[in-house]
Amino acid sequence: MSVIELNGERRSGHDVGFLYEEWDRLIAEAGWRKTEIFRAGDWPVFAVENEAAVSGKEGGLYVSAGVHGDECAPVWGLLEWVGADAEKLKDLPLVVFPCINPHGIVENTRLDG
């Protein structure tokens, strides 16, 4: 089983609820926008945009993770990278899909809901 340690807590790397709580915290701290795109069973799939992306500034970066649910490290790595560099990323339009396949992450499978 994959285990992550974040902010002194040890959790399963497949704990999407905890992942989403951490994204919500980061989004609130950075003042970014979260938009639910659709629901995958019980879980939302959402996009996160920084202010430069919301304002329509050209160029930028699109990043996603969590396509392969049996590979949970990328969703946590993306959270860690964005969290560490949020201030540096503020002028670069950035759109992030933190977890494309939440069902797959929860169920530890490449299949979706």
Side-chain angles (χ1 to χ4, degrees):
M1 176 199 252
S2 300
V3 176
I4 58 102
E5 187 167 332
L6 188 64
N7 300 327
E9 287 193 60
R10 291 176 53 86
R11 299 278 189 104
S12 165
H14 296 276
D15 186 341
V16 169
F18 184 52
L19 175 70
Y20 283 7
E21 288 172 14
E22 291 300 310
W23 271 104
D24 285 343
R25 182 187 56 73
L26 174 61
I27 292 163
E29 286 176 5
W32 292 2
R33 180 171 74 179
K34 173 182 169 181
T35 305
E36 184 174 317
I37 306 302
F38 64 93
R39 294 192 73 79
D42 294 334
W43 299 102
V45 173
F46 57 90
V48 177
E49 298 171 278
N50 67 2
E51 192 173 316
V54 171
S55 72
K57 185 175 178 183
E58 290 189 23
L61 189 61
Y62 158 84
V63 184
S64 64
V67 173
H68 297 151
D70 60 342
E71 299 173 0
C72 63
V75 297
W76 295 100
L78 182 57
L79 174 70
E80 184 177 349
W81 172 67
V82 172
D85 290 330
E87 183 62 28
K88 293 177 190 172
L89 295 168
K90 72 178 186 177
D91 294 325
L92 174 72
L94 178 65
V95 178
V96 177
F97 283 78
C99 189
I100 295 287
N101 181 9
H103 171 82
I105 296 290
V106 170
E107 297 297 325
N108 193 20
T109 180
R110 289 191 175 211
L111 302 176
D112 63 21

